[in-house]
Amino acid sequence: MSGPLEHLPALAVVIPLMTAPVIVALRRPWAGWLLATLVSWASLAMSLLLLQQVLETGPFSYLMGGWAAPWGIEYRVDQLDAFVLVIVSAIASVVSVYARKSVEAEIEPDRQYLFYAMFVLCLCGLLGMAITGDAFNLFVFLEISSLSTYVLVGMGRDRRALTASLRYLILGTVGATFYVIGIGLAYMMTGTLNMADLAQRLPAMAHTSTVRAALAFLVVGIGLKMAAFPLHAWLPNAYTHAPSAAAALLAGTATKVSVYVFLRIVLGVFGATGLLTALPVTQVLMVLALAAMFICSAVAIWQPDLKRALAYSSVAQIGYILLGVALLSETGLAAGIVHLFNHAVMKSALFLALGAVALRVGSTRIDAMRGIGRKMPMTMAAVLVAGLSLIGVPLTVGFVSKWTLVEAALDDGMWPVAVLILASSLLAVAYVWRIVEAAWMAQPGPELAHVREAPTAMLLSIWVLAGASVWFGIDATRTLGVARLAAQTLLQGVAP
Amino acid sequence: MEVPGLFNYWMAIVLMMAGLYTVIARGNLVKKLIGLGVFQISVFVLYITMGKIKDGTAPILPASGSAEGVVFSNPLPHVLILTAIVVGIATTALGLALVVRIHEAFGTIEEDDIQAIEESEA
Amino acid sequence: MSPSTLMILALLLPLLAVGPIVLAGRYPNLREAVSLGTGGLLIAVVLGLLSHLADGIVPALELGQMLPGLALRLELEPLGMLFALVAAGLWPVTILYAIGYMRGHHEKNQTRFYAFFAVAISAAMGVALSGNMLTLFVFYEVLTICTFPLVTHAGTPEAKKAGRTYLGILIGTSILLQLLAIIATWSLAGTLDFAPGGILAGKVSGPLVGVLFALYVFGIGKAALMPFHRWLPAAMVAPTPVSALLHAVAVVKAGVFTVLKVTVYIFGIDLLAENAAADWLVWAAGFTIIAASVVALSKDNLKARLAYSTISQLSYVLLGAAILAPLSLMGAAIHIAAHALGKITLFFAAGAVMVASHKTEISQMAGIGRKMPWTMGAFAIGALSMIGLPPTAGFVSKWYVLSGALQSQQMVAVAVITLSTLLNAAYFLPILHSAFFGRAADDDHHHHGHGEAPLPSVLALCLTAAGTIALFVLPDQVLTLAGALLGGNP
């Protein structure tokens, strides 16, 4: 690498970080929106360049300030990092276009610029988590993204958003603090915070209870952040009451990046210690993942508010990802990683569409949406497409994830797990079809008389994601190809 | 096991448990945040303790200019925890701000009362 | 035109018609002209494919990779050709019928009906032309979803409930069982391409073959093997042309077609025979044939009786597959066409009676044959075909299945076929008897003056009845295709 491209890894993080105070200084909603949108698209461009770079030359490092690792902070970019960077920045880009109308409707004018400031800070934190190769630096970015997320959630127009935000803050802080404890214990034993260095030095200490405790703290801490069942208590309220644009951003990115951190730390750093199989980490993970898939999908069926139903569905979908991880095989891991992307695309599309419904109808409760299919046909068609993807119907991204995951289970001879995966996807049929029946198979009531189709910019964003969930379902070679490479790289360091 | 030598670690654990217990058991949101603060501080203590080396001094070059033979404490954990303290302050500040807003919106900061109000709305 | 272009056209033509259909929504005549015109073109395209196939060309085309190493692929073989001919041939006839029915019955949302009908035909073409199991599964699911708005066309709570059953069973079985079987096949064999002789031979053996086969057969819910048959009677709430689509043209045929494909090209009959993996299916299909016939006997609603008759007739195809004799497989393939023509005639007639006289129950239909001679004449031909009597198509297919069963000494199958023929006669002949020789009830003042159904509908059902007889008189083409299924001569 040479020229301006050399500093891409740093720029991807620094630019959003620097934009936030500028937005605050300008105090204008439109300026905030414009900057946030520009920054998001710029990070998407940078992420794509980084991905291309990784696919061409393999993983590479960037040394912050020129200090060599392990003393300086190393930014390391491999296939997984680049893939997650692309997911986060792509979702942020689409949401930023959408946000203008949605934010205008949901947040008081004098606070709108703060929304955009928090938006770019959140983006900065998420990108930073994905790119850094330093375990403590990761914590800093984790908190940057978390603190901005708490604010974003708290900006919801319902007062319950405040309690949801505080609850998220408390549980999120507990999770982050657990993470710091885990990293501290690991540091105590190895004297390093560089992930690659940690991965090299930890196996020699694997027998000590300090390292085992470190692993336990990390698993629970990251588990809280990624809403792994049963540590998901903060998520449903946070997603339900957050402003629509924020909910879409979080649903697509926040838990995904936390899953990435799980992969990076638990598999990447602790993989070589052999503790994952020596302790029942994978077994516990698998049982919890299956429980999430069934329990949270079932809970989603009975929710009167669709945003809440989708929030529970998110916890269930995290279960699919973790199940792929728990299989600890190349195909399983690839299934989990590709589902990071696939789920981000479809769930964000759904939250965006519900945001449009909230804008026009004023509610996302299912009984307020009867007959909405005739009033907002394009929006609801996108809901249908993304919903079918959630079920895993062929030609959608959901099918690709499901196929790969079942294939991985069968390759390992786990027939019952394969059956359970497919059975749980039938629960998705129930909660998706509830929407279909309400939207199309009922006559719109008088209260929907003045409801119109969503604004064009919102429709565009919704359909970009809905379209992507079909596009990458018809041709999954690229996404699955990258996911497979990422899985291979990750598994190199994992002891069998 | 030399309990006095591990005193700091024991204290870290005591603080950690006390903080967590407060977070879980107290219904008052401000008390919850205090608990959260105590919980975070326990980690600061943990980090600072692990940087301490027996007979080590502050990691500053002596006036003579030669560090030969001088034992320093490990400065890195201390620096790290400076960052963590900043994060902790930010978290607490944000949490308290939220509590103020909650008090404005609900008229109470008792978790049970808020929950009752929320349930009556749903 | 080259074979690949023709295959693409067969898929795209019905889809391309959707746009004009929707745009012409305000002008019903133009809208139906679009459907009919596209139907005519589609028949031409399919006949073009047939001539290529007759020249010994196997048209194949890769549409693009979907998953790494796994492409969406089209390939035409004789069985698919047969199914494509049936679906393409019956589409314009059904549209012709629907013109009379939908207008005569004052149905709402007719544009939506014609649009989704076209999509369903495209999906059926996709099923017929699929070159591997993944492609077939994709189109199979598309067919399920795009027929859902047709089944729930009425929009009533009853239709909603039927829609749930329809979707629940078809999606449930296909995801839980069929998809599992497909991924397992992929995991075991490393390929999903349809190949003569099967792709699993040498890759699996023992009881696993039977388990896998059962996953496929039950997973293909569209074949309506008991206990996964409930969706078919439930879907009776749909307008009659939709019932025709479900029962004759596309949906159930896609089901049994898929079972035949899996039997011949995924497993291969040798592998199934070696591991005795299809023996259970003789019993299961036999049970379904008899049980569904008995239920049909008890139904007074004509469409419900026809629905159970379909369940029973579909299991003939499954039985033909399960016997694993070349002759019976041929019979099974012919039965796809034979049942399609016969059953569509019966449904057309039932719908025509409903439109003209508003009668739905068999007990009300005494003497109707004299008022609607063309309709009930055609009904009689269809009924004969169901029973399997000459001079109708049903005789040909039953003959081959029975010959295969006798050849391979499958006495259970022979007994089932014999018994079911009697049962078929028992539930069809009384209808004919009362229609032609019964005396109309006296309280029939309201509709006393009714005559035949609207002309397009009568024309359509006469066409299909003629087809039923034509398939008996001139079976050569179908026999050639069915015979080529196993690479042998009929």
Side-chain angles (χ1 to χ4, degrees), chain A residues 129-147:
Chain A
M129 281 157 84
I131 210 168
T132 187
D134 183 277
F136 198 84
N137 193 227
L138 195 153
F139 162 73
V140 175
F141 282 119
L142 176 77
E143 284 297 32
I144 291 180
S145 80
S146 299
L147 285 167

Side-chain angles (χ1 to χ4, degrees), chain A residues 125-333:
Chain A
L126 294 172
L127 293 175
M129 281 157 84
I131 210 168
T132 187
D134 183 277
F136 198 84
N137 193 227
L138 195 153
F139 162 73
V140 175
F141 282 119
L142 176 77
E143 284 297 32
I144 291 180
S145 80
S146 299
L147 285 167
S148 48
T149 306
Y150 307 145
V151 178
L152 284 175
V153 171
M155 281 182 158
R157 49 183 172 175
D158 192 311
R159 61 178 174 176
R160 278 173 289 179
L162 297 170
T163 45
S165 172
L166 187 68
R167 189 178 210 187
Y168 186 10
L169 181 140
I170 290 171
L171 286 175
T173 305
V174 171
T177 310
F178 268 45
Y179 175 85
V180 181
I181 297 172
I183 291 300
L185 294 176
Y187 175 75
M188 233 188 218
M189 299 308 292
T190 57
T192 179
L193 288 168
N194 181 288
M195 291 182 197
D197 229 20
L198 273 171
Q200 270 184 7
R201 298 191 193 181
L202 274 174
M205 317 276 178
H207 58 278
T208 60
S209 51
T210 313
V211 169
R212 290 174 181 222
L215 179 62
F217 273 112
L218 287 168
V219 168
V220 175
I222 305 171
L224 261 167
K225 288 306 263 185
M226 66 182 177
F229 183 88
L231 304 171
H232 64 278
W234 58 270
L235 186 142
N237 272 331
Y239 283 16
T240 311
H241 300 302
S244 307
L249 178 73
L250 298 181
T253 57
T255 47
K256 306 296 174 300
V257 176
S258 303
V259 172
Y260 157 81
V261 173
F262 186 85
L263 292 175
R264 182 58 74 214
I265 299 288
V266 175
L267 292 193
V269 173
F270 281 81
T273 57
L275 285 178
L276 301 186
T277 38
L279 301 174
V281 178
T282 50
Q283 289 94 317
V284 169
L285 204 58
M286 185 175 292
V287 171
L288 290 180
L290 286 169
M293 286 153 57
F294 277 92
I295 297 174
C296 291
S297 298
V299 172
I301 297 174
W302 307 108
Q303 294 304 319
D305 189 307
L306 283 184
K307 262 174 116 177
R308 218 181 157 73
L310 289 183
Y312 275 105
S313 146
S314 279
V315 182
Q317 299 283 331
I318 296 284
Y320 285 95
I321 298 172
L322 292 182
L323 182 62
V325 176
L327 289 171
L328 222 56
S329 66
E330 188 190 314
T331 315
L333 213 48

Side-chain angles (χ1 to χ4, degrees), chain A residues 349-350 353-354 357 369 372-389 396 432 435-436 439-440 453 459 462-463 465-467 469-470, chain C residues 116:
Chain A
L350 282 167
L354 282 186
V357 171
M369 289 171 60
I372 190 83
R374 283 163 221 263
K375 296 288 185 178
M376 306 176 72
M378 293 300 286
T379 308
M380 292 314 288
V383 170
L384 178 63
V385 169
L388 289 177
S389 186
T396 64
V432 169
I435 309 178
V436 172
W440 280 284
E453 186 54 271
L459 268 187
I462 296 169
W463 270 100
L465 290 179
S469 65
V470 173
Chain C
F116 277 106

Side-chain angles (χ1 to χ4, degrees), chain C residues 227-242:
Chain C
F228 298 119
H229 66 286
R230 283 284 316 145
W231 63 273
L232 206 41
M236 285 293 88
V237 293
T240 306
V242 175

